[in-house]
Amino acid sequence: MSKFLTTHVGSLPRPDAVCDVLQAREEAGEAPEDFEDVVGEAVESVVARQAALGIDVVSDGEFSKIGYANYVKDRLTGFSGDSPRIPGADLEDFPGFLKMLARWREGALPRPTPCCTGPVEVKDRAQSTADLARLRRAVEKAGAHDGFVNAASPGVIALFQANQYYPDRSAYLEALAEAMKEEYRAIVEAGFYLQIDCPDLGMGRHTTFKNDDEATFLKSAHEQVEVLNAALDGLPAERLRIHVCWGNYEGPHTRDIGLDKIIGIVLKARPATILFEAANPRHAHEWRVFETVDLPEDKILAPGVIDSTSNYVEHPELVAERLLKFAAIAGPERVMAGTDCGFGTFAGDGLVDAEVCYAKLDSLVEGARLARARV
C-alpha cells in the first residue's frame, strides 16, 4: 500500500436538490420520477470533486440515503412505526445543551427510525444495485483511484431500530446479519471497498446501554462483532473497512467509553482497515492506545485527522503531525488519512458548512502530502 492514502468516512453534505427528492420519497413512499437524474448528477459531481481534491478512496457521499443506519427500512422487510429516541447520557447531564441541540436541528429533514415489528428479510435489491452502478459510472468518469460504499452493521441497525418482534437481542442481530449479507457481498463483488459502519461499538455505551454496567455493554459489543464476522464470512478482509465512533455530534461526550476499553473487540472484526475518531478534543489523545496493543500485521489504521463537527479548518501541518504519530506506531504504509465521521450523517442535518467541508478535505490531502515527504 502507498504511504498515507487519503479517504473519509462516507457521508458528505447533500445538495438541496438531493434533500428534496429524498424528502419526496419519504412522504410518498416511493421515489419521484426525477430521483435517479437528480441523485445521479449529484454523485458524479461529488465524486469528481473528491478526485480533484486528491482523495484516493472516494464515496458517493451516501446521497441516496436518508441516513446511514435507518436507510435499511427501505431495503428490508419488518420495519414500521417509530422507535423511542434515546438521548446520550452526556446530553442528559447537560439539559440546557440538549435543548440547544434541538434548536440547531430545526428545519432539518425528519429522521424516520421505525421499530422491527416483523421478520427481517431482503425486500428491495434495486436500491443497492442502483447505488453501485451510479458510483461506478462516477468513479470511471472522474478517473478516481478507488471507491468505497457504506453499509450499516447489524449492531447499529439494532441500536436505532428497536426490536419489538424477535425474542431477544441476539435473535434480532442474527436476523439482521443474515439479511444484510447480500448487500455486503454485492458491494465487494462490484469492485468497491465495503465500509461497515459500527458506532454501536462506541456510541452504544452511552445510549442504548447507558443504564447497564460496562461489562454488559462489552459482552454485547463482542457479540455484535461475532455476528458481523459471520455476515462477512468469505469476503476478503483487505477489501473491508470498519468505522467506529462515539456519535457524530458536537456535545460534551463526557460519557464516551474509552478506546482502550473497546479496541480489543474492534481488532477482532474481520475488516483490515479501521476508521476511528482521533481529531476531536475528546478522543485526540487516544493515539497512545495503539502503543499499548498488539496490532495485527494485516490491520491498517485510518485515524480521523479532521473533525467532522467543527467548522474550524485544520492546518495541514496539524494533519501531518497527527499522521506521523500513527506512522511511528504502525508504519506509513499502514496509515491512511481519514475523518472522524461523516459530514452528512443524516440528510439535511450536517453541522459543517458544505464549502468548509471541502476546505477541510483539501487540508487533509495537503497534510498527507506533507507527511509523505517527511518519512
Side-chain angles (χ1 to χ4, degrees):
M1 183 176 125
S2 300
K3 299 172 184 177
F4 303 122
L5 290 177
T6 56
T7 190
H8 57 95
V9 166
S11 64
L12 294 167
R14 295 165 180 80
D16 289 343
V18 171
C19 288
D20 288 345
V21 294
L22 289 172
Q23 185 165 7
R25 185 175 66 182
E26 287 298 314
E27 293 173 351
E30 60 182 14
E33 289 185 4
D34 61 343
F35 185 91
E36 187 55 44
D37 290 339
V38 170
V39 176
E41 182 178 338
V43 168
E44 282 194 7
S45 177
V46 78
V47 167
R49 189 162 191 181
Q50 291 169 75
L53 285 173
I55 298 295
D56 294 303
V57 188
V58 305
S59 84
D60 65 355
E62 296 194 81
F63 281 3
S64 72
K65 299 172 181 174
I66 195 75
Y68 77 101
N70 55 348
Y71 78 95
V72 300
K73 69 182 178 58
D74 299 319
R75 304 186 183 191
L76 304 178
T77 64
F79 295 99
S80 65
D82 195 31
S83 298
R85 300 296 188 270
I86 305 177
D90 62 322
L91 299 178
E92 292 179 325
D93 290 342
F94 298 91
F97 178 77
L98 185 57
K99 291 180 181 178
M100 186 186 301
L101 196 61
R103 288 199 298 274
W104 289 349
R105 286 208 67 252
E106 289 178 4
L109 269 63
R111 295 185 185 177
T113 50
C115 302
C116 175
T117 55
V120 175
E121 297 174 350
V122 177
K123 74 172 179 181
D124 188 334
R125 295 174 174 84
Q127 291 187 37
S128 176
T129 300
D131 284 352
L132 299 176
R134 203 182 294 121
L135 181 57
R136 174 54 62 200
R137 288 193 299 270
V139 164
E140 291 178 354
K141 185 173 181 178
H145 179 276
D146 215 331
F148 73 95
V149 177
N150 301 73
S153 68
V156 79
I157 298 171
L159 191 73
F160 282 99
Q161 278 81 219
N163 171 39
Q164 293 185 357
Y165 176 78
Y166 289 94
D168 53 40
R169 183 179 179 82
S170 295
Y172 183 32
L173 287 170
E174 289 175 5
L176 289 169
E178 185 63 31
M180 291 299 292
K181 270 184 184 180
E182 187 174 311
E183 182 171 321
Y184 298 161
R185 182 168 294 280
I187 292 169
V188 174
E189 290 180 347
F192 297 115
Y193 285 96
L194 162 63
Q195 179 175 305
I196 303 292
D197 292 325
C198 294
D200 48 298
L201 301 181
M203 182 176 65
R205 175 68 184 103
H206 61 274
T207 55
T208 301
F209 290 88
K210 64 184 175 182
N211 296 319
D212 296 294
D213 60 24
E214 189 174 277
T216 299
F217 168 72
L218 292 175
K219 180 180 179 182
S220 179
H222 186 271
E223 179 185 25
Q224 285 154 212
V225 166
E226 285 188 331
V227 168
L228 174 62
N229 283 345
L232 297 175
D233 186 44
L235 299 179
E238 65 272 15
R239 299 298 295 179
L240 308 178
R241 305 165 27 144
I242 182 172
H243 168 60
V244 180
C245 78
W246 289 263
N248 193 29
Y249 59 93
E250 180 187 347
H253 285 279
T254 46
R255 298 294 193 97
D256 289 8
I257 190 169
L259 177 62
D260 60 313
K261 300 288 185 64
I262 61 172
I263 188 60
I265 296 172
V266 174
L267 289 175
K268 290 179 180 177
R270 291 199 68 241
T273 301
I274 306 169
L275 299 99
F276 54 95
E277 296 182 25
N280 69 65
R282 196 68 193 181
H283 294 279
H285 68 290
E286 290 183 317
W287 64 273
R288 290 190 177 277
V289 170
F290 291 95
E291 294 182 321
T292 67
V293 300
D294 184 13
L295 188 66
E297 292 184 1
D298 64 336
K299 296 295 184 182
I300 296 168
L301 302 181
V305 290
I306 293 291
D307 183 4
S308 55
T309 65
S310 165
N311 285 277
Y312 274 99
V313 176
E314 290 82 353
H315 198 286
E317 289 285 354
L318 176 60
V319 171
E321 178 182 292
R322 287 170 168 169
L323 290 171
L324 290 170
K325 287 179 181 178
F326 285 98
I329 298 170
E333 294 82 5
R334 296 172 62 197
V335 176
M336 296 183 72
T339 58
D340 270 1
C341 203
F343 288 96
T345 304
F346 297 99
D349 195 20
L351 294 171
V352 177
D353 174 76
E355 290 308 308
V356 172
C357 162
Y358 293 108
K360 288 165 83 78
L361 291 178
D362 185 49
S363 188
L364 179 150
V365 171
E366 180 58 27
R369 288 197 191 104
L370 292 175
R372 210 172 290 130
R374 293 173 185 171
V375 296

